[in-house]
């Protein structure tokens, strides 16, 4: 298990997320990171998770799905996450039990973005797998590129690859920001 923590203030949020995982039956945490994020760290974290899954004997299709979710989620954080005190706090936890992996990602967002995120994620969660695929193709073909360079495919990809709902929470922070966490489960046996 690899754990890195930015400071004492983030320790409480990380501990809360780890307690939630334990309560949900995820007793094994392969990786937990809460701190600044950059492209080199994304590369390192994703390689570590991939190597851990290979050594655990997980099948290649599952490894690819988890890897895809990690890349999409961490790139979303890097591109869209808000900064705090000159850094960009990011959360990544990969936990497992006998039947599932859970990927938890988090970053700061502006409080004004909360309702927009809820609406978008609830829309995705209300779709079946075929509707998600169709929506992905529609956004891919017709999506507008945002000022930060995204077309809105990250959450869709995460939903499509996990084949599960995207669960989310918002924790209050200072300065009009919220800490947004999103998680999804992947079946190890399917």
């Amino acid at each position: 298990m690899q754990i890195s923590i930015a400071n004492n203030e983030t320790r409480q949020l990380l501990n809360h997320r780890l307690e939630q995982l334990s309560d949900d039956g995820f007793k094994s945490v392969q990786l937990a990171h809460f701190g600044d994020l950059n492209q080199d760290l994304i590369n390192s974290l994703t390689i570590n998770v991939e190597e851990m899954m290979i050594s655990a004997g997980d099948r290649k299709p599952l490894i690819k799905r988890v890897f895809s979710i990690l890349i999409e989620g961490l790139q979303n954080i890097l591109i869209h996450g808000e900064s705090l005190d000159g850094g960009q706090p990011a959360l990544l936890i990969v936990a497992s039990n006998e039947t599932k992996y859970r990927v938890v990602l988090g970053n700061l967002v502006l409080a004004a973005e909360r309702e927009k995120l809820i609406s978008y994620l609830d829309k995705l969660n209300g779709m079946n797998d075929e509707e998600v695929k169709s929506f992905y193709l529609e956004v891919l073909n017709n999506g507008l590129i945002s000022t930060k360079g995204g077309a809105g495919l990250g959450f869709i990809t995460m939903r499509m690859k996990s084949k599960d709902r995207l669960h989310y929470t918002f924790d209050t922070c200072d300065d009009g920001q919220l800490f947004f966490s999103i998680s999804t489960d992947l079946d190890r046996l399917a």
Side-chain angles (χ1 to χ4, degrees):
M1 174 171 64
Q2 173 183 343
I3 298 179
S4 56
I5 300 174
N7 60 41
N8 287 337
E9 292 175 357
T10 60
R11 188 179 308 270
Q12 183 178 2
L13 183 57
L14 179 59
N15 285 339
H16 179 68
R17 293 295 181 270
L18 293 172
E19 287 171 11
Q20 281 180 313
L21 287 166
S22 180
D23 291 347
D24 290 345
F26 290 89
K27 304 297 183 200
S28 180
V29 175
Q30 279 69 41
L31 184 137
H33 168 82
F34 200 161
D36 286 341
L37 186 67
N38 59 49
Q39 190 60 52
D40 288 338
L41 186 57
I42 289 174
N43 296 341
S44 175
L45 293 171
T46 54
I47 288 169
N48 286 344
V49 171
E50 183 178 26
E51 289 173 353
M52 175 273 308
M53 292 180 73
I54 290 169
S55 68
D58 288 306
R59 293 171 295 117
K60 194 165 185 102
L62 175 63
I63 295 169
K64 286 182 177 182
R65 289 176 40 225
V66 169
F67 187 83
S68 180
I69 289 169
L70 290 176
I71 292 295
E72 285 295 334
L74 293 171
Q75 288 294 338
N76 270 354
I77 291 170
L78 195 60
I79 294 167
H80 301 288
E82 296 296 323
S83 61
L84 178 68
D85 299 329
Q88 191 176 27
L91 169 68
L92 170 62
I93 302 172
V94 178
S96 66
N97 60 28
E98 298 80 26
T99 61
K100 293 181 184 182
Y101 275 102
R102 178 169 292 170
V103 177
V104 182
L105 297 145
N107 63 280
L108 287 174
V109 297
L110 296 175
E113 296 292 314
R114 183 178 189 274
E115 294 307 316
K116 180 180 168 185
L117 284 166
I118 289 172
S119 176
Y120 192 74
L121 292 169
D122 286 351
K123 176 180 178 178
L124 277 176
N125 284 334
M127 296 178 183
N128 64 35
D129 290 347
E130 275 305 311
E131 291 168 329
V132 172
K133 287 178 190 176
S134 294
F135 186 51
Y136 175 85
L137 292 173
E138 177 185 329
V139 171
L140 185 63
N141 291 324
N142 303 322
L144 300 173
I145 304 299
S146 74
T147 58
K148 292 188 177 183
L153 294 173
F155 290 139
I156 303 170
T157 301
M158 291 170 66
R159 168 70 174 79
M160 194 166 48
K161 295 293 182 179
S162 70
K163 300 179 183 178
D164 191 35
R165 294 174 48 91
L166 301 175
H167 305 275
Y168 56 87
T169 61
F170 294 90
D171 293 288
T172 304
C173 299
D174 293 334
D175 301 328
Q177 294 180 327
L178 301 170
F179 196 85
F180 167 67
S181 299
I182 189 165
S183 67
T184 192
D185 292 349
L186 294 98
D187 189 349
R188 292 180 81 174
L189 307 177

